[in-house]
Amino acid sequence: MQSFKFSTALVRFYLKGQLSVDLSVVHLQLPQSLLGIFPVGVHKEAISLKHISSVKRNFIIAGRLCLFGLGFVAFGLFAEPYFPIQIVQAHPMELGILLRLAVVLGIVMVLASFSHVVYIEKDGRDIAWTMPFYEGKKARDIESVLTVKLYDDADKTDLGLHGFKQTGSSRPPELNQP
């Protein structure tokens, strides 16, 4: 049984998901949260390999989030000389702290905009979940393990073995290599 534990978001790193693969079943546990922050439960699903038709992985960039983050960074870095103290009515030290917080918030927003999405197509509908950019290796591992399991779980009554050479394995030749 292979098991993968992964983070579902950059900011919510404490919310962990888990995917484990048995001989013929994929067990998926995804956290549920209230307002995206507070954990309130876990969505559990057991999917038979017979019902999975494909597994895909994509790297995505959330454009709006990235642009807003870059805007916050630019505002925090370059706006200080343009704020007259009499308009803001704040101490220069407080203004500097607020602008630096805008920079940090912008950096977090930019980093959160990069993520991996793993899709499992089950009975014609996609089950998808996101993983932060630093979980890319786990996303690739999940995709490759599920792909190999799908090929190994091919219908044993198909004597043509899906058109692959009869080498004792129903895997395509590129998956048989170590």
Side-chain angles (χ1 to χ4, degrees), residues 69-117:
L70 290 173
F72 271 97
V73 169
F75 177 76
L77 290 177
F78 304 117
E80 189 170 5
Y82 301 107
F83 276 111
I85 296 299
Q86 61 269 25
I87 293 176
V88 177
Q89 296 296 322
H91 191 273
M93 180 66 88
E94 293 171 358
L95 180 63
I97 291 172
L98 289 176
L99 292 176
R100 297 311 171 249
L101 283 175
V103 170
V104 170
L105 178 65
I107 290 171
V108 169
M109 288 171 73
V110 168
L111 290 176
S113 69
F114 300 103
S115 60
H116 292 272
V117 180

Side-chain angles (χ1 to χ4, degrees), residues 7-15 36-37 105 108-109 111-112 132 134:
S7 209
T8 56
L10 175 71
V11 177
R12 299 178 309 263
F13 58 88
Y14 52 90
L15 295 176
I37 300 172
L105 178 65
V108 169
M109 288 171 73
L111 290 176
Y134 58 85

